[in-house]
C-alpha cells in the first residue's frame, strides 16, 4: 500500500513559549511526514494609529522580522537541511494571516496561546479562531508537560461517534500513525440518557452500549482501505460523557484527534462543545479535523 501524505504544514510563530513549542512540533512532524513547512509571523500597525508615523524608527514589521529570525535560528538547531521550509512575515492579524496561509494546507499548527494571550486563558483568541474557521485540520499545541507524547510509544487517540466528521478524523489519524510509527486507539463513549429508565421492558432489546459497539465497528470499516499491518488499531467502548472520557485518555496519548462536530452538534456550529473542551483542557496536543 502506498503511504498517503498530509501535505504542506503551516505553523504560526510569534516568539512566545507556546508558539516555540508549536514550531518544534511542526518541524518534527514535517520531517516525519516528508511535508514542506511554512512558518508564518504576522504583523500590522496598531489599530489605534490611523496612519503609520512618518520618520519613526520603529515599525511592527521590524519586530516581526526579528521574530522570524528567531524561527530561522531554531530551524538551524533542530531541522534537517533536507527539510523544505520557508519562514515569512505576513501583514495582517494573526488569525487572518494563518487562515489565509492554510487555505490549501494539509495541517495548521498553532500554540494554545500567543504573546497577546491572557495568562489565565487556556485557549487564546487566535487558536480558537483557527479551529473554528480553518479549512484544514488544526493541531493545537497545548504547551503542557507531555510525558506520554514524548515517550515515542503513546498512541494516537481518536474520538469516534459515528458522525462523518469523526470518520474523517479517524482516517487522518491512521495516516499520521503510519508515518509516525504509532498505534491508533479509537474510543466510542456511551451512557444511558438520564430521562430513560433502563429497566423498562421497551429497552430490554436496546442499549446505548450496543449502539456504541456498532458505531465503533462501522468506523473501523470506513477506514479499512487505509489499514494494513503497519498500523495497529484498537477500539474501545467507555461509559461516560465524551469530553470527560477523552480528556482522561489524553493523559496517555501522543495526540488526540477529533472531528469538528459530533452527532450531538448543532448543524450551524463550526466546532462542537466536545472538541472545544478537549482543545482547551487536553493533556496532549489536539487535532480538530475540519471536514
Amino acid at each position: 500500500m502506498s503511504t498517503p501524505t498530509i501535505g504542506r504544514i503551516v505553523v504560526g510563530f510569534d516568539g512566545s513559549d507556546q508558539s516555540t513549542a508549536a514550531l518544534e512540533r511542526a518541524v518534527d512532524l514535517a520531517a516525519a511526514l516528508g511535508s514542506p513547512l511554512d512558518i508564518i509571523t504576522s504583523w500590522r500597525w496598531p489599530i489605534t494609529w490611523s496612519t503609520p508615523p512618518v520618520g519613526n524608527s520603529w515599525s511592527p514589521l521590524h519586530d516581526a522580522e526579528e521574530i522570524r529570525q528567531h524561527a530561522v535560528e531554531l530551524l538551524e538547531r533542530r531541522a534537517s537541511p533536507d527539510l523544505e521550509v520557508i519562514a515569512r512575515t505576513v501583514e495582517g492579524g494573526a488569525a487572518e494571516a494563518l487562515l489565509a496561509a492554510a487555505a490549501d494546507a494539509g495541517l495548521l499548527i498553532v500554540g494554545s496561546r500567543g504573546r497577546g494571550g491572557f495568562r489565565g486563558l487556556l485557549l487564546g483568541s487566535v487558536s480558537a479562531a483557527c479551529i473554528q474557521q480553518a479549512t484544514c485540520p488544526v493541531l493545537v499545541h497545548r504547551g503542557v508537560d507531555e510525558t506520554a507524547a514524548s515517550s515515542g510509544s503513546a498512541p494516537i487517540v481518536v474520538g469516534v461517534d459515528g458522525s462523518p466528521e469523526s470518520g474523517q478524523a479517524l482516517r487522518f489519524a491512521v495516516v499520521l500513525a503510519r508515518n509516525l510509527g504509532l498505534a491508533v486507539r479509537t474510543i466510542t463513549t456511551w451512557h444511558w440518557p438520564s430521562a430513560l429508565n433502563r429497566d423498562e421492558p421497551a429497552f430490554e432489546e436496546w442499549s446505548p452500549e450496543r449502539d456504541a459497539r456498532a458505531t465503533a465497528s462501522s468506523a473501523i470499516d470506513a477506514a479499512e482501505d487505509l489499514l494494513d499491518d503497519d498500523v495497529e488499531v484498537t477500539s474501545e467502548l467507555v461509559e461516560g460523557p465524551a469530553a470527560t472520557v477523552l480528556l482522561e485518555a489524553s493523559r496517555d496519548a501522543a495526540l488526540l484527534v477529533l472531528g469538528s462536530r459530533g452527532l450531538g452538534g448543532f448543524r450551524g456550529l463550526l466546532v462542537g462543545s466536545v472538541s472545544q473542551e478537549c482543545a482547551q483542557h487536553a493533556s496532549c496536543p489536539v487535532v480538530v479535523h475540519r471536514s
Side-chain angles (χ1 to χ4, degrees), residues 59-71:
S59 82
L61 175 58
H62 293 161
D63 282 357
E65 286 292 345
E66 289 184 359
I67 293 171
R68 186 191 69 84
Q69 186 57 39
H70 291 324

Side-chain angles (χ1 to χ4, degrees), residues 257-280:
V257 182
L258 305 167
S260 54
R261 286 181 295 110
L263 285 177
F266 292 99
R267 184 58 54 181
L269 294 178
L270 294 175
V271 174
S273 59
V274 172
S275 50
Q276 188 84 16
E277 186 170 351
C278 288
Q280 294 222 32

Side-chain angles (χ1 to χ4, degrees), residues 9-181:
I9 296 175
V10 175
V11 59
F13 183 74
D14 65 4
S16 65
D17 291 343
Q18 287 83 358
S19 75
T20 298
L23 176 55
E24 291 173 343
R25 175 56 60 93
V27 169
D28 292 344
L29 281 176
L33 298 170
S35 299
L37 181 61
D38 191 359
I39 304 169
I40 303 295
T41 298
S42 68
W43 67 276
R44 64 179 174 185
W45 290 96
I47 58 176
T48 53
W49 297 8
S50 57
T51 58
V54 177
N56 194 312
S57 60
W58 175 86
S59 82
L61 175 58
H62 293 161
D63 282 357
E65 286 292 345
E66 289 184 359
I67 293 171
R68 186 191 69 84
Q69 186 57 39
H70 291 324
V72 172
E73 292 169 358
L74 185 149
L75 287 170
E76 290 174 348
R77 297 192 304 269
R78 189 179 186 97
S80 164
D82 298 331
L83 181 65
E84 182 182 345
V85 59
I86 182 172
R88 55 195 176 108
T89 56
V90 178
E91 184 176 5
E96 171 192 358
L98 290 171
L99 290 169
D104 60 349
L107 179 65
L108 170 61
I109 301 178
V110 293
S112 56
R113 287 181 294 109
R115 296 176 74 187
F118 292 99
R119 182 62 56 183
L121 294 179
L122 295 175
L123 195 65
S125 59
V126 173
S127 48
C130 286
I131 65 172
Q132 287 276 357
Q133 300 176 44
T135 55
C136 69
V138 178
L139 188 156
V140 178
H141 197 285
R142 297 270 297 112
V144 293
D145 180 15
E146 294 167 359
T147 304
S150 63
S151 68
S153 59
I156 297 175
V157 172
V158 188
V160 171
D161 66 0
S163 65
E165 288 83 357
S166 75
Q168 291 299 316
L170 174 56
R171 294 179 65 84
F172 184 82
V174 170
V175 173
L176 280 178
R178 174 173 291 108
N179 285 276
L180 299 177

Side-chain angles (χ1 to χ4, degrees), residues 229-247:
D229 293 339
D230 292 338
V231 182
E232 177 188 352
V233 180
T234 58
S235 180
E236 298 178 31
L237 304 182
V238 182
E239 183 177 8
T244 301
V245 170
L246 292 169
L247 287 173

